[in-house]
Amino acid sequence: MQLTKQHETIIKNGIDRLIGMGAEYVDARFLTDDNSESLVIYDGNLESNSTEFQSGLGVRVLYNGAYGFSATSKIDNFEECFKMAFENAKAASLLVKLPLSMGEKKPAGKFFYESPVAKDPFDIPLKEKIDFLYEIDNQFKEDFIFKKMVYANFQKKNAYFFNSEGIFVDRKLTNVFGNMTIMGIDKAGEMQRRSHELFTFGNQTRGYELLTNPNHFSSHAIRIKSELEQLLQADDLEYGKRSIILLPGQGFLQVHETIGHPLELDRILGYELSYAGGSFVNLDSFGKLKYGSDKLTVTAFGGFANSPGSFGYDDEGSPERNYKLIDKGLLVNCLTSRAMIDEANKRAGREVFKESGGASRATAFYRAPIDRMTNVNIEPGEDGSLEDIISNTEDGIVLDNPTSWSIGSNREHFHFACEIAWEVKNGKKTRILKNPTYQGHTVEFYNSLSAVGDKSTWRVEQVSNCGKGEPNQVMQLGHGIPVIKFDNVITGERK
Ligand SMILES: [Zn+2]
């Protein structure tokens, strides 16, 4: 569906009417098309071929310091939707203790963003997509492979944003995800697995061509097959303190869970306490907390051309920004929206945050936006290639891909299990080890960061299923991550 003049008039009139009735601020998001297609080949069978289509309007209103939200999928209901959002804000305003606001008014303007795409995944015939996945599946016909899965997901949405300050944003967003996972039974009778997720280098186009680029996806089938075969004959990692070298396939989740989530401002303010937990970071931590060693610089960056965390403008109409969250180990900022920085500054009684980080996101038209990760990245360092880092390691392990994770409710500590470890002794990779795990306390752990790989080790890992909010909102984002090394980490399990 295209945005028509008629839609525009109804939405603008709805906003004006609520402002006339005393609303302090109104925004409306109209998703004319929100498409998703998932294909799953499981053990050689097309197990799932599902397509979803959504379209509708979400309206958020601020009245007497309280927000109200309403949504509808029926165009005939748009006027009613504005009315309901206003009624909800009015009801909420009766309970307000701390009046909220959107902060400083932003200048009006028209903005446009489109994900760079060479081949629209929704223009590719279904058979071609299924055949492509089967080509990969066919490479996994081996006696030692017990279970196999090849998966692709395509997303495309047209989203229009309007607010009472005269901001209009037109966005066309495309995401492509892919995963292959194989499992086998090892010599002890335990299940082992290897997987590969479609990744990017942040600077290419992000249509169907990303999935069919062998460097990013299909060529990795041979590698994970060989690694699984070796894993099935491998010994367990023994318990002990040693260095760990995280490849981006594991480093991204480490950063996601122990830097990304604890630095979402709504979480810091306690909005996630009853679901996913809080944060050990508080409003006094900024400019003071030594989150990591001098080698740790973390950015929030929406400028990668191809990452699901790049969307141009957030769901409050703020542009995505490139800014530092952690600067040479020092915590300096977090992931913010206009609504939350105003509340945080009021609660702190001083200006902790200046402007929105453009991180206000809603998963669908029928959910109110909350603070979400955009792309949370570790900047490449000066410790060379993976080989250089290995050659400077006396006793350690290289780790890739998570199998399970358990994280403290305030993200203050963590325990991860990975698919595979390569032992490193005296600067050389020796053998593959199975069932690797590691654990640590977040701040102590990042302060033990001793090497950060250069740009040759860096890539953008895609996240298709970050969950947050009540009701739950599944969100897509990215992490630009180099190879990272930490020292004196507790690894393996005590027997
Ligand atoms: Zn998450």
Side-chain angles (χ1 to χ4, degrees):
M1 196 194 323
Q2 288 297 310
L3 178 78
T4 64
K5 273 277 156 223
Q6 192 197 358
H7 296 137
E8 238 180 295
T9 307
I10 297 172
I11 292 168
K12 283 181 178 167
N13 287 347
I15 291 173
D16 290 347
R17 204 166 47 248
L18 297 193
I19 293 294
M21 288 160 76
E24 289 141 43
Y25 172 88
V26 184
D27 61 31
R29 290 176 299 111
F30 182 27
L31 275 82
T32 52
D33 298 278
D34 188 348
N35 297 285
S36 168
E37 178 182 23
S38 291
L39 299 167
V40 184
I41 312 284
Y42 189 76
D43 279 347
N45 299 309
L46 177 63
E47 176 160 290
S48 174
N49 165 18
S50 81
T51 52
E52 265 181 47
F53 170 78
Q54 294 173 350
S55 171
L57 178 78
V59 176
R60 190 173 63 156
V61 181
L62 183 68
Y63 175 79
N64 268 354
Y67 290 100
F69 180 78
S70 183
T72 182
S73 58
K74 296 193 177 94
I75 290 179
D76 296 348
N77 262 359
F78 276 17
E79 283 186 23
E80 187 59 31
C81 181
F82 279 97
K83 221 184 280 172
M84 186 57 78
F86 187 64
E87 290 303 320
N88 288 342
K90 258 166 83 179
S93 72
L94 302 174
L95 302 168
V96 158
K97 288 192 184 125
L98 179 74
L100 304 175
S101 95
M102 291 292 283
E104 199 182 311
K105 196 176 168 191
K106 302 292 173 199
K110 285 190 172 185
F111 307 97
F112 179 76
Y113 178 84
E114 184 169 7
S115 306
V117 167
K119 284 185 186 171
D120 182 340
F122 291 86
D123 287 346
I124 308 293
L126 180 62
K127 185 173 182 313
E128 192 177 323
K129 290 186 265 202
I130 291 173
D131 286 349
F132 171 76
L133 297 179
Y134 264 119
E135 268 174 43
I136 296 169
D137 172 81
N138 281 334
Q139 296 187 54
F140 295 140
K141 283 182 180 160
E142 302 285 350
D143 287 346
F144 64 87
I145 295 177
F146 178 68
K147 290 275 170 203
K148 49 181 181 162
M149 195 266 300
V150 189
Y151 162 87
N153 173 242
F154 311 105
Q155 301 172 350
K156 189 168 98 166
K157 56 178 83 176
N158 288 338
Y160 300 92
F161 174 89
F162 303 78
N163 78 3
S164 53
E165 297 166 342
I167 295 174
F168 170 75
V169 187
D170 171 353
R171 294 183 302 164
K172 296 183 183 359
L173 304 171
T174 305
N175 289 325
V176 173
F177 298 96
N179 176 281
M180 56 180 96
T181 300
I182 47 174
M183 291 179 239
I185 308 290
D186 69 18
K187 57 186 183 181
E190 291 172 357
M191 185 86 86
Q192 299 295 335
R193 59 178 249 193
R194 278 304 279 139
S195 65
H196 175 75
E197 186 89 23
L198 178 66
F199 67 94
T200 89
F201 289 119
N203 56 358
Q204 309 114 305
T205 56
R206 54 177 301 94
Y208 187 67
E209 67 283 357
L210 184 63
L211 184 70
T212 53
N213 182 329
N215 294 334
H216 291 255
F217 199 58
S218 61
S219 72
H220 294 267
I222 293 170
R223 173 179 62 80
I224 65 168
K225 197 163 77 170
S226 151
E227 288 171 357
L228 179 67
E229 194 171 13
Q230 296 173 68
L231 206 45
L232 298 183
Q233 301 306 321
D235 293 329
D236 275 303
L237 172 72
E238 283 184 16
Y239 177 82
K241 271 195 176 183
R242 45 173 70 85
S243 298
I244 62 167
I245 299 166
L246 304 184
L247 301 182
Q250 173 61 25
F252 89 93
L253 195 68
Q254 179 70 51
V255 168
H256 182 90
E257 303 294 359
T258 60
I259 295 180
H261 279 306
L263 294 188
E264 288 165 335
L265 183 53
D266 58 349
R267 194 176 173 115
I268 292 170
L269 296 181
Y271 280 99
E272 280 283 296
L273 278 177
S274 60
Y275 179 47
S279 175
F280 66 91
V281 171
N282 60 52
L283 297 178
D284 289 329
S285 307
F286 295 92
K288 290 183 197 149
L289 177 66
K290 190 82 169 72
Y291 208 110
S293 76
D294 293 351
K295 288 180 182 284
L296 183 70
T297 292
V298 178
T299 58
F301 182 46
F304 300 142
N306 68 346
S307 166
S310 300
F311 40 83
Y313 298 85
D314 74 359
D315 287 324
E316 287 179 340
S318 302
E320 272 194 283
R321 286 171 49 213
N322 181 15
Y323 65 103
K324 283 179 183 163
L325 301 173
I326 297 170
D327 189 7
K328 295 194 177 79
L330 185 70
L331 177 67
V332 292
N333 211 329
C334 68
L335 296 152
T336 56
S337 60
R338 286 179 67 182
M340 284 297 134
I341 61 172
D342 185 70
E343 180 172 346
N345 290 343
K346 278 181 182 148
R347 282 210 220 171
R350 62 195 163 85
E351 190 184 72
V352 185
F353 307 106
K354 276 195 168 55
E355 58 177 327
S356 168
S360 177
R361 306 178 72 188
T363 189
F365 74 88
Y366 51 82
R367 293 280 181 260
I370 54 178
D371 293 10
R372 301 304 293 248
M373 280 176 248
T374 53
N375 299 297
V376 174
N377 321 293
I378 292 188
E379 291 297 288
E382 291 165 357
D383 296 302
S385 64
L386 172 61
E387 290 66 33
D388 293 332
I389 292 174
I390 289 172
S391 70
N392 288 320
T393 301
E394 214 173 292
D395 178 20
I397 42 173
V398 178
L399 293 167
D400 203 10
N401 300 98
T403 53
S404 75
W405 52 99
S406 154
I407 305 134
S409 61
N410 289 322
R411 309 277 152 160
E412 65 281 60
H413 42 63
F414 59 85
H415 179 283
F416 284 96
C418 300
E419 291 180 1
I420 189 167
W422 290 266
E423 185 180 55
V424 177
K425 291 282 184 199
N426 302 316
K428 295 226 157 27
K429 248 190 197 180
T430 52
R431 56 186 175 144
I432 281 179
L433 295 168
K434 67 173 177 166
N435 299 331
T437 62
Y438 69 98
Q439 56 184 291
H441 290 268
T442 304
V443 170
E444 187 186 306
F445 178 74
Y446 283 106
N447 275 285
S448 79
L449 177 68
S450 62
V452 177
D454 63 19
K455 190 82 197 218
S456 74
T457 72
W458 184 96
R459 68 193 203 190
V460 177
E461 295 286 341
Q462 307 202 107
V463 177
S464 63
N465 59 352
C466 173
K468 187 180 169 183
E470 288 178 293
N472 188 37
Q473 299 197 35
V474 175
M475 190 52 82
Q476 299 75 41
L477 58 124
H479 295 288
I481 304 286
V483 167
I484 40 182
K485 176 183 162 187
F486 301 85
D487 293 329
N488 289 315
V489 180
I490 298 173
T491 62
E493 299 304 308
R494 231 191 268 263
K495 292 266 158 68

